[in-house]
Amino acid sequence: MESKNQMHSPEDSSSSSSSSSARKLELYSYWQSSCSWRVRFALNLKGLPYEYRAVNLAKEEQFSPEFEKLNPLHYVPVLVDGDVIISDSYAILLYLEEKYPQKALLPADPKLRAINLQAASIVSSSIQPLHMLSLLNHIEEKLGPGEGLPWAQFHIEKGFLGP
Ligand SMILES: N[C@@H](CCC(=O)N[C@@H](CS)C(=O)NCC(=O)O)C(=O)O
């Protein structure tokens, strides 16, 4: 995991939003993490500057003692906003929406709001957890090499298209 003041590749472009001198938010992220993409989308849509902290999952940096203090579950993303530390993308999105209401992500209409939250919840609880890196590694270990991909494809298609 990089130290606080370092920037990095290949995602350096994503940290362009942190050019403001009033840097406050910090996002611990990995470039292939779809959970982190969600938060980056939200930060950019809301125009919130943030500092990008790369956690290289391929190098198992999520298990470093430094990162473990932020998220004992060893997952990215983690958002740090002053003394607030949030380590789940869904919770981070709701936090950002409430704390920084400018450029709302959710519609005001309750029905449309519920449909949006339904889609977000399906992705974050019924699709993504079924193909996270640690689970795919576990499946490959238990069932054999090459078994992870069809597993992931099945659950992604089911989540988006239905059975
Ligand atoms: N519910 C969490 C899930 C976080 C999660 O699964 N993060 C993945 C990247 S998208 C991760 O860090 N995986 C590391 C691993 O599986 O060891 C969220 O939405 O933030």
Side-chain angles (χ1 to χ4, degrees):
M1 189 169 73
E2 292 185 15
S3 68
K4 276 198 162 192
N5 294 317
Q6 287 178 313
M7 289 299 173
H8 39 75
S9 63
E11 295 175 280
D12 276 342
S13 59
S14 70
S15 62
S16 57
S17 59
S18 63
S19 57
S20 159
S21 58
R23 286 181 181 170
K24 181 181 175 189
L25 296 165
E26 296 168 47
L27 180 66
Y28 289 78
S29 175
Y30 178 56
W31 69 282
Q32 284 185 308
S33 157
S34 60
C35 307
S36 304
W37 298 344
R38 301 197 262 280
V39 176
R40 286 164 52 195
F41 294 156
L43 289 165
N44 284 289
L45 285 169
K46 283 185 171 292
L48 293 169
Y50 64 98
E51 291 191 15
Y52 189 98
R53 312 281 183 224
V55 181
N56 190 330
L57 300 185
K59 292 185 179 168
E60 303 198 330
E61 290 180 354
Q62 70 272 35
F63 298 107
S64 72
E66 189 188 347
F67 186 73
E68 192 174 51
K69 285 184 201 149
L70 295 172
N71 187 1
L73 290 177
H74 310 117
Y75 297 138
V76 291
V78 172
L79 183 83
V80 179
D81 185 9
D83 58 359
V84 178
I85 300 171
I86 313 167
S87 57
D88 183 277
S89 64
Y90 193 83
I92 293 170
L93 294 177
L94 293 178
Y95 172 81
L96 290 175
E97 188 73 335
E98 288 176 5
K99 175 100 187 269
Y100 305 98
Q102 72 268 26
K103 297 184 185 161
L105 303 171
L106 288 168
D109 176 77
K111 181 181 166 189
L112 295 177
R113 207 173 171 86
I115 290 170
N116 276 263
L117 289 173
Q118 174 182 303
S121 186
I122 288 171
V123 170
S124 68
S125 66
S126 301
I127 299 178
Q128 186 276 333
L130 294 169
H131 66 271
M132 67 169 66
L133 183 63
S134 51
L135 178 65
L136 293 182
N137 287 341
H138 186 72
I139 286 170
E140 300 249 332
E141 268 173 39
K142 294 286 173 194
L143 301 179
E147 294 296 328
L149 182 62
W151 170 279
Q153 283 171 335
F154 172 80
H155 289 289
I156 292 169
E157 283 172 18
K158 181 179 174 197
F160 283 119
L161 305 174

